[in-house]
Structure formats: structure tokens, C-alpha cells
Amino acid sequence: MSYHAGFHKQRPVAVASVLELRQLLLKYHQTKIGFVPTMGALHEGHLSLIARAKAECDLTVVSIFVNPTQFDRQDDLVHYPRNETQDLELLRGAGADIVFLPSEEEMYPTGDGTKIFAGRIAELFEGEHRGLEHFAGVATVVTKLLSIINPTVAYFGEKDAQQVAVVKRVVTDLLLPVQICTCPTVREENGLALSSRNTRLSAQEHLQAQALALSLQEGQQAFWDEGVTEASLLEQRGRQTMRSFGVEPEYFAAVDPVSFQPVITALPESLLIVAAHVGTVRLIDNVTLNNRTAFARSQQPGLVDTHLYPLAQ
Ligand code: AMP
């Protein structure tokens, strides 16, 4: 049971103003606060982070903010799924204590002036394909949220592995007093990583989108079962699998999980990462080579909410 159970009758307490949230959190300055930043359109992936925060902390704060500064394409921002009513219901069910729902003006009162660039770690892959502003937007908004909420632990999903690497680097470099906890990727039965953007896939595209997870599995199998360690060969295998689904990857690579630089020879701790457009939807995924249970169904208790994510027939 959370620290302040019964204090607020209606949970989660919804707050839209930075000042109000800071004032509310003053009461909890000695409490272990778990924070889960999201862009809403919540699914089981987000809920797994919240469950972890609830299990480990005394107060769980979730933010929902579709951060405009991290979008490289206006149409992606415009079409980003939003469903506040359903999100609040899911948060109530998940037992979140506070939800922060700021407006753009609240988060960027003077526009987007000050920015945080994390350096080389943010330059390749997502940084290259979405532009340097993408991770600057992520790093800046996460730093702002951490400064407002001052959590003990902030929870992020492995699904966005480069984002995790960037956030960890920012926290280290700026000496921010927060622990970063990464949580495993929640997947559909067919391997597809849950993502808010999946709701924009047609039934046909939903099937094609399995290509990402299957290409990662193919890479894992080549590494473990055939002893392929050359990154370029793993890439070739991954790309072939993608193409067999009619999907052309933007990148498929083996990288160091901390520096996010490509490796020449893959090691068990290397990450395989992939990004591709399926129809108009851009998807990303990754797996650690030595995480051989990443795609096991048993890893995702209570995974599929068929109401939110009908599996393609
Ligand atoms: P988003 O709302 O997409 O910005 O995601 C908010 C947080 O949820 C990020 O830390 C994501 O990495 C995490 N997340 C998104 N999808 C998944 C998933 N399928 N499994 C676990 N975590 C996820």
C-alpha cells in the first residue's frame, strides 16, 4: 500500500501546473518517489513501468506530455495518438498516485530556448535519422521533469534503448540525484514490441511489423547457434529477414549498449537495434544478444490487452 493511501480519495490526483505539482510534492520530500515519464496513449508497456515503480517506491508519479521538441516531423506530432480519458482510467486501475498533465506553455514558458545535447551518444541511429534535435528534445524535457518532480527513481523502457543511454549520460554528466531504472520490453505474442504508434498500423501493416522483432531474433540465433560475431554479417541476416516481410530497415546494427557506438565484432552484451517504416509508421526495437528469453511469451505476464491491441488475424 502506498505511503499516503487514503490521503487523496480520488487517485490519481491530476495536476497540470508546475507550481501546483511542486507544492503537492513538498509533502512527500522524505518519500521514495517513483517517476514514469510518458507521452500517453498508454499500453501494457507503460503499465509495466508503473507496476515496477509501485512495487519499489512509496509514491508513483506519472507524466503525460507529448513533447513537441523531440518530434522531427510535424505530421508525426499531429498524428501521435492521444487518449486522455482512457489513460486516466488505466492509471486509476494501475494505482498511480499522481498524474502530471502539463500544457506546452507550462513546460516551455519561454519557447524552447535552453537545450541539452548529450554529445556523441545522441548522434548516430535515432540521432542521425530523426536529427540532433530529437535527443536534445528528450534530454531537455526529461531534465525539466526530473527537476520538477525530484524522484528517487525514474523508470524507462528498454524498448527505447538509445533514449535510456542518453538519459543515463545526462544524469551522470549533470550530476542529477536520481536513479534510472530500465524495464524489459513488453511484447505482443508475435514479438512485436508494444508502442503507442502501433494503433496507427493497418491489419496488414501490423503483420508486417513483426519483421522488426523477427529480424532481431534472427540475429540472436545467428550469433548463438551459428557463432556469427561479425556485426556486418549479423546486419545482413537481419536485413534479409526484414525484406522477406517487405520492410526496408532504416538501420539494423550491433552497438555498445552504453556508448551507442557500432561494434565490429558483436559480444554477448552487445545490443542489436533496428528501425523501419511500416507504412507511414516509424517503429524501433532492440534486443541484447545475451537476453535469449526476450521474446519468450512467459516473460510478459498479463501482456495482451486485446481491447487496446487486437492481434492481427
Ligand atoms: P512513450 O510514451 O512512448 O514516450 O514511452 C514512455 C516510456 O514507456 C518510455 O520509457 C518507453 O521506453 C516505455 N515503453 C514504451 N513501450 C514500451 C514497451 N513495449 N515495453 C516497455 N516499456 C515501454
Side-chain angles (χ1 to χ4, degrees):
M1 188 174 287
S2 76
Y3 175 80
H4 75 315
F7 189 83
H8 293 287
K9 284 197 178 74
Q10 179 73 289
R11 285 192 305 161
V13 176
V15 182
S17 122
V18 172
L19 188 65
E20 230 178 88
L21 183 58
R22 283 200 160 118
Q23 278 170 350
L24 175 62
L25 289 173
L26 280 179
K27 293 194 202 67
Y28 302 106
H29 70 283
Q30 283 186 325
T31 305
K32 185 172 183 185
I33 298 177
F35 171 47
V36 182
T38 82
M39 298 207 296
L42 301 181
H43 52 65
E44 291 279 345
H46 299 112
L47 298 184
S48 72
L49 271 53
I50 295 167
R52 180 89 175 257
K54 271 194 71 73
E56 295 179 353
C57 301
D58 299 315
L59 189 84
T60 300
V61 182
V62 178
S63 65
I64 296 180
F65 180 59
V66 182
N67 175 35
T69 64
Q70 71 188 69
F71 282 80
D72 52 315
R73 284 172 25 210
Q74 186 63 19
D75 63 309
D76 191 26
L77 174 61
V78 170
H79 292 117
Y80 196 84
R82 291 166 170 84
N83 197 340
E84 197 175 302
T85 310
Q86 181 174 277
D87 285 351
L88 289 174
E89 238 165 73
L90 288 170
L91 289 177
R92 195 165 304 131
D97 297 298
I98 296 173
V99 56
F100 181 44
L101 302 143
S103 64
E104 196 177 323
E105 294 69 38
E106 198 67 20
M107 288 303 287
Y108 295 101
T110 62
D112 68 340
T114 304
K115 289 178 193 172
I116 295 169
F117 289 92
R120 278 188 78 200
I121 196 168
E123 284 173 4
L124 297 177
F125 306 110
E126 289 304 284
E128 188 176 340
H129 287 272
R130 302 191 67 179
L132 291 181
E133 293 290 323
H134 168 61
F135 281 127
V138 171
T140 306
V141 82
V142 168
T143 305
K144 281 170 179 257
L145 290 166
L146 293 175
S147 123
I148 299 164
I149 293 157
N150 202 13
T152 319
V153 190
Y155 294 84
F156 291 85
E158 273 172 10
K159 155 143 184 317
D160 299 284
Q162 195 172 5
Q163 169 170 285
V164 172
V166 167
V167 167
K168 282 184 173 167
R169 177 61 58 88
V170 169
V171 163
T172 303
D173 290 351
L174 299 184
L175 310 173
L176 301 180
V178 63
Q179 189 188 323
I180 302 300
C181 174
T182 45
C183 304
T185 302
V186 178
R187 299 177 180 280
E188 290 185 2
E189 204 162 355
N190 62 13
L192 176 63
L194 297 193
S195 162
S196 304
R197 288 188 171 89
N198 292 358
T199 54
R200 294 177 49 210
L201 297 167
S202 69
Q204 172 63 24
E205 290 165 349
H206 197 119
L207 280 175
Q208 274 188 302
Q210 291 176 67
L212 281 86
L214 290 176
S215 69
L216 297 173
Q217 274 182 288
E218 173 68 22
Q220 260 190 338
Q221 269 162 23
F223 182 81
W224 289 106
D225 301 339
E226 298 166 41
V228 179
T229 57
E230 215 176 302
S232 61
L233 294 178
L234 292 174
E235 177 179 346
Q236 225 174 59
R237 294 284 285 269
R239 283 183 178 271
Q240 264 165 14
T241 305
M242 302 276 284
R243 286 189 193 120
S244 70
F245 280 82
V247 177
E248 186 59 37
E250 260 184 7
Y251 59 74
F252 185 102
V255 301
D256 176 272
V258 179
S259 69
F260 249 83
Q261 299 305 303
V263 296
I264 293 171
T265 306
L267 299 168
E269 59 268 28
S270 303
L271 264 188
L272 290 181
I273 59 171
V274 65
H277 277 94
V278 178
T280 57
V281 184
R282 187 172 182 280
L283 300 173
I284 60 171
D285 200 353
N286 69 86
V287 74
T288 306
L289 275 172
N290 66 13
N291 183 3
R292 299 205 75 190
T293 56
F295 300 99
R297 184 74 182 92
S298 59
Q299 287 285 297
Q300 301 118 38
L303 163 62
V304 179
D305 183 334
T306 46
H307 173 66
L308 291 172
Y309 289 89
L311 295 176
Q313 298 298 306

